[in-house]
Amino acid sequence: MLPKKGTSEEEILNELEKRLNVDLTFNSGKILGSMCTYPHSLAQKIICRYMDRNLGDPGLHKGSREIEKEAVQMLGELLNLKKAYGSIVSGGSEANILAVRAFRNINDVERPELILPKSAHFSFLKASDLLRVKLVWAELNDDYSVNVKDVERKINDNTIGIVGIAGTTGLGVVDDIPALSDLALDYGIPLHIDAAFGGFVIPFAKVLGYDLPDFDFKLKGVQSITIDPHKMGMAPIPAGGIIFRKKKFVDSISVPAPYLAGGKVSHITITGTRPGANAIAVWALLKHLGFEGYKKIVKEAMELSRWFAEQIKTLDGAYLIREPMLNIVSFGTKELEKIEKELKKRGWGISAHRGYIRIVVMPHVKKEHLENFLIDLKEILGEH
Ligand code: 0PR
């Protein structure tokens, strides 16, 4: 209820401290199923210092706008693009929606269709509903990557775009993007890559020697990429990224905002008023950690994932869904629902709605957390 008279700051803070106690925190060691993590300390300072900056009115906050452009450019370079167009957005959902919007707008067809893997994130359902684009689902192979032949079979005159995924939500699978790129070029259809998760993993994992397919703008058919700093990029929520290869995509989704206090501009994002601080934090982390800093974070996460996958293999009553490609390890169990319930009862932040339990080895996940989880899992499996 809205109080008539105000409450003191101290009381408010005390109440929040008590009420929010029920939230699971990243440092509890119990969150094993989230793609977010505790933001880097530098980003926290930046958010506090620049929380008033609004990229919705960039004429007022010209410095912030410049920094955002540089952040987009650095993300582009990470993805092998010399000149990047795009924006820091609210997350992977907005980034995917913007890509579908651009593909639809540059393709003037009456009944637009988008071909995407059955493993795609639910943000494409939102895009479909908002943009009136029909989703055409492509089958998966036995290894859970998209079946490129099925994608080809589904191309028709209404196809406005194809989606490939570089790090699926459930299993961290990277599709055969080189084959999708060839297909896109052959048929003259734009290819969008959802690397919301993998964008901050694959470039570093490849340098570390992991055998992963190319997924970025190195492949000529790739026209846009979603890459989320608020997942493996260590940035605070909200911070997503949408990067386009060509200006024409950005132009196709620009709307004029002519009367703003800072002067006439145009917007490509879904949100109007939007946080400059988060874009500044993305810039700061890219500069501060650099390629080597992120490589170190990815190295630890990848090694721990492989260790954990080996442990799962030794358990009675549990099995790996597939060998991990990135730092996501998913496994099935006997009596999955019961096991999930028991794990949740013991405070573990995991979910099993896809028919398996997904463990995302984010930077806050340490070996001792996984060891504790395995002790509980073994015990519970033994009881069933
Ligand atoms: N694309 C992919 C491949 C994703 O995995 C996700 C989110 C998105 C797009 C959408 O990104 P935003 O959520 O930033 O809009 N995947 C996570 C998931 O659904 C999101 C998440 C994060 C869920 C933290 C739970 C959680 O605790 O699993």
Side-chain angles (χ1 to χ4, degrees):
M1 222 209 324
L2 177 69
K4 192 147 192 254
K5 268 179 135 189
T7 316
S8 75
E9 279 192 18
E10 201 189 340
E11 269 180 84
I12 296 280
L13 291 173
N14 282 340
E15 180 175 348
L16 285 176
E17 201 60 24
K18 273 190 221 130
R19 302 267 307 271
L20 301 184
N21 229 345
V22 295
D23 292 357
L24 265 192
T25 56
F26 289 108
N27 62 10
S28 68
K30 291 282 194 174
I31 301 184
L32 302 183
S34 168
M35 284 190 173
C36 294
T37 194
Y38 207 72
H40 190 283
S41 56
L42 173 61
Q44 294 174 41
K45 285 184 204 153
I46 285 169
I47 297 290
C48 291
R49 195 171 293 184
Y50 302 114
M51 64 171 72
D52 59 334
R53 306 311 147 97
N54 170 22
L55 282 169
D57 195 348
L60 287 186
H61 297 147
K62 289 197 176 78
S64 300
R65 176 65 188 128
E66 273 310 300
I67 294 286
E68 183 193 25
K69 274 190 189 159
E70 285 183 27
V72 166
Q73 180 59 25
M74 281 192 277
L75 290 178
E77 283 165 20
L78 178 65
L79 300 169
N80 277 305
L81 189 62
K82 277 209 185 83
K83 169 89 183 85
Y85 301 91
S87 185
I88 303 300
V89 293
S90 58
S93 301
E94 186 178 359
N96 286 337
I97 290 167
L98 291 177
V100 180
R101 185 171 159 225
F103 287 7
R104 188 202 61 177
N105 288 358
I106 58 164
N107 264 286
D108 191 19
V109 295
E110 216 166 291
R111 294 170 198 276
E113 294 183 6
L114 181 76
I115 304 174
L116 73 175
K118 280 195 163 163
S119 51
H121 185 257
F122 59 79
S123 47
F124 289 100
L125 298 175
K126 298 181 184 177
S128 165
D129 189 32
L130 286 164
L131 299 164
R132 296 278 144 211
V133 170
K134 182 180 166 194
L135 301 181
V136 178
W137 300 97
E139 296 297 329
L140 304 184
N141 299 313
D142 290 344
D143 65 0
Y144 299 91
S145 65
V146 73
N147 183 323
V148 179
K149 284 217 176 77
D150 195 46
V151 173
E152 181 165 18
R153 270 195 292 275
K154 285 177 168 145
I155 294 175
N156 64 32
D157 290 345
N158 295 326
T159 308
I160 55 147
I162 298 171
V163 174
I165 310 174
T168 58
T169 305
L171 298 169
V173 167
V174 185
D175 286 329
D176 185 354
I177 315 275
L180 288 175
S181 170
D182 288 345
L183 201 61
L185 290 174
D186 282 352
Y187 287 84
I189 296 169
L191 173 63
H192 171 67
I193 302 305
D194 183 354
F197 186 78
F200 267 97
V201 180
I202 303 165
F204 311 104
K206 274 169 103 62
V207 170
L208 288 163
Y210 289 94
D211 184 20
L212 294 164
D214 284 338
F215 77 108
D216 62 18
F217 291 106
K218 198 191 267 179
L219 305 167
K220 296 284 179 273
V222 175
Q223 300 300 334
S224 56
I225 300 183
T226 289
I227 173 170
D228 276 1
H230 73 197
K231 296 189 167 70
M232 283 295 285
M234 308 293 289
I237 307 164
I242 179 67
I243 310 293
F244 290 104
R245 182 189 287 279
K246 291 182 186 144
K247 187 167 172 292
K248 68 171 183 180
F249 294 107
V250 169
D251 290 342
S252 78
I253 54 172
S254 282
V255 297
Y259 64 86
L260 301 179
K264 185 177 165 173
V265 289
S266 53
H267 276 194
I268 67 161
T269 51
I270 304 293
T271 52
T273 300
R274 61 192 179 93
N278 292 63
I280 299 166
V282 172
W283 178 94
L285 291 182
L286 288 166
K287 287 270 185 198
H288 178 61
L289 290 167
F291 194 92
E292 287 303 315
Y294 280 110
K295 193 172 102 186
K296 190 163 169 274
I297 292 168
V298 168
K299 181 173 190 284
E300 282 173 17
M302 291 290 275
E303 285 172 1
L304 194 52
S305 304
R306 270 126 200 93
W307 171 83
F308 182 69
E310 289 311 308
Q311 299 299 307
I312 290 293
K313 285 183 198 166
T314 67
L315 298 181
D316 260 348
Y319 56 93
L320 270 192
I321 300 295
R322 61 151 290 157
E323 289 293 330
M325 286 180 90
L326 305 181
N327 48 326
I328 296 177
V329 185
S330 296
F331 61 93
T333 67
K334 57 179 182 182
E335 299 184 86
L336 185 67
E337 272 176 34
K338 279 191 194 155
I339 305 287
E340 179 195 12
K341 233 190 213 162
E342 289 295 319
L343 286 167
K344 284 229 164 93
K345 237 191 239 164
R346 295 188 189 206
W348 292 105
I350 47 101
S351 80
H353 65 279
R354 293 184 186 83
Y356 45 79
I357 292 170
R358 172 187 78 164
I359 303 298
V360 190
V361 185
M362 294 300 293
H364 65 268
V365 176
K366 304 294 173 212
K367 194 170 182 183
E368 66 258 32
H369 305 149
L370 293 175
E371 280 168 346
N372 288 336
F373 176 77
L374 285 164
I375 291 171
D376 276 359
L377 179 62
K378 255 186 232 169
E379 240 177 63
I380 294 167
L381 286 171
E383 290 163 7
H384 282 80

